[in-house]
DNA sequence: TGCTCCATGTAACACGTTACATGATTGC
DNA sequence: GCAATCATGTAACGTGTTACATGGAGCA
């Protein structure tokens, strides 16, 4: 149950509304744990029922339904307890690898356009990550413990994108060698 | 719905029983798409109902309930159609990154033993992948189109493990600097 | 007035996980 | 005879996805 704990972490950094959380998930934590707003609202309700969170109507709520969540001591204990448990290595569920394998047996789909698209997406993501790195973790300055750890998390993302980029280029070259332009053989 | 298509691919390579499929998933395709036997049986039943597969009692069934599945033309069409659709980039759902981030705010858990454990696991996986590489994709020999694509899929796994290994070592070094032995501060 | 964004939710469904159950075959 | 492995399944539950619904606030 990682989502709950990701939310706890995010709320410890800054008490927020569900909506704000959902948007923050699209950045920081979202690189490694994505969640829709529906998931987050469901989780917040559960966690409040478990006594991990308290909610209040914030000053800027006006007449809206906005609620702000704050981590209670029990939530903090739960998070520490969970963080100390061993974690399984993540499995790489990559849909495209399944498609590649399908193409390996079928030999009737041209996956090069898709690889080109992925190349662009990886480049974009990498540029985004590196922009965040330059902005939040400047070289030469001494960073806090918190910042140094966050930096390493970002670096993991950067490393993955760099690897994916290189691999995608190699894969494109291989497909170009296997089916050079003009040798198209749709439907075998 | 990738599982169904992963199963189709695997069955095209070799008609099999659900049990055999489940075990093959722990190797080849399993690097990028893991599935339990329950998932596979459920999927096989659905796919047979959809007319994508035909099942028969194999010669070596004896008195057992063993059934062998074979892809029908409709299944093959479905797979080709699906493979041609654009695929979203996978999201890296890495539970340990959430734990790291939790530790960044809490500063009361020592994640070094867990990192050491991950280090060993990554090394083990990498060694496994490289053993498969040496066995199935010998250098110097000309490989078939099918084999070359399969090799690239394996290489993606190898690349990921190498990156993870390097990152885990860096992370360990950082934590050693932040909390050198003897400076333990459990519960802040 | 109508558009976009903020903000929260319900409902249904797809997918994945865990626990449990059953029975045949193989090898000691 | 017993254990391990082969082989298939049911049931319950947890998590993730998609579609839809509601209403306030700010702005042109």
């Amino acid at each position: 149950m990682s989502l709950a704990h990701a939310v706890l972490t995010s709320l410890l950094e800054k008490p927020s509304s569900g909506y704000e959380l959902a948007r923050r998930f699209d950045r920081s934590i979202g690189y490694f744990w994505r969640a829709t707003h529906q998931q987050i609202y469901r989780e917040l309700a559960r966690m409040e029922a478990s006594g991990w969170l308290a909610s209040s109507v914030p000053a800027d709520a006006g007449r809206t339904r906005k609620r702000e969540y704050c981590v209670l001591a029990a939530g903090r204990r739960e998070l520490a307890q969970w963080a100390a448990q061993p974690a399984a290595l993540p499995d790489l569920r990559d849909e495209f690898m399944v498609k590649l394998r399908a193409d390996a047996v079928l030999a009737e789909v041209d996956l090069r356009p898709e690889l080109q698209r992925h190349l662009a997406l990886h480049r974009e993501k990498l540029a985004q990550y590196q922009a965040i790195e330059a902005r939040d973790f400047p070289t030469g300055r001494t960073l806090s413990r918190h910042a140094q750890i966050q930096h390493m998390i970002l670096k993991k993302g950067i490393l993955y994108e760099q690897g994916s980029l290189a691999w995608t280029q190699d894969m494109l070259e291989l497909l170009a060698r296997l089916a050079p332009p003009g040798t198209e053989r749709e439907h075998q």
Side-chain angles (χ1 to χ4, degrees), chain A:
Chain A
M1 215 214 271
S2 291
L3 177 56
H5 300 92
V7 169
L8 281 173
T9 304
S10 207
L11 285 178
L12 275 175
E13 286 168 355
K14 187 175 184 301
S16 318
S17 68
Y19 188 83
E20 280 163 10
L21 271 173
R23 285 198 321 161
R24 263 197 291 151
F25 258 71
D26 287 345
R27 289 168 286 146
S28 48
I29 280 190
Y31 307 140
F32 293 101
W33 210 273
R34 197 161 285 285
T36 62
H37 76 272
Q38 290 84 347
Q39 269 177 284
I40 287 171
Y41 286 125
R42 180 158 66 184
E43 218 49 61
L44 284 171
R46 277 183 207 166
M47 292 165 81
E48 193 175 8
S50 304
W52 296 357
L53 303 178
S55 74
S56 57
V57 176
D60 65 336
R63 237 172 291 171
T64 68
R65 286 198 284 175
K66 187 174 183 178
R67 303 193 62 74
E68 194 163 81
Y69 291 87
C70 177
V71 180
L72 297 176
R76 200 190 164 94
R77 270 199 305 278
E78 167 59 32
L79 183 60
Q81 185 275 122
W82 173 82
Q85 299 300 120
L89 294 190
D91 39 330
L92 277 330
R93 342 194 98 229
D94 192 336
E95 188 180 315
F96 186 71
M97 294 302 131
V98 181
K99 294 196 174 184
L100 243 193
R101 220 186 145 95
D103 180 48
V105 279
L106 292 172
E108 54 182 81
V109 188
D110 185 4
L111 290 176
R112 281 175 295 170
E114 183 65 2
L115 276 165
Q116 287 287 4
R117 201 175 64 84
H118 284 192
L119 204 59
L121 290 173
H122 284 304
R123 275 203 245 267
E124 201 183 307
K125 254 195 173 176
L126 182 58
Q128 252 177 260
Y129 288 180
Q130 284 173 335
I132 295 168
E133 188 179 33
R135 191 194 62 199
D136 294 350
F137 310 107
T139 49
R141 293 218 14 233
T142 311
L143 298 168
S144 66
R145 183 194 123 89
H146 185 267
Q148 284 185 70
I149 293 176
Q150 301 248 62
H151 190 190
M152 282 303 291
I153 295 174
L154 182 59
K155 270 192 190 159
K156 178 102 214 252
I158 290 173
L159 205 59
Y160 175 75
E161 291 305 327
Q162 285 171 334
S164 296
L165 204 55
W167 181 89
T168 305
Q169 282 167 330
D170 288 355
M171 191 68 226
L172 263 169
E173 277 166 39
L174 173 61
L175 287 187
R177 273 201 309 281
L178 289 174
T183 321
E184 245 71 306
R185 35 94 204 88
E186 290 289 312
H187 310 300
Q188 57 212 43

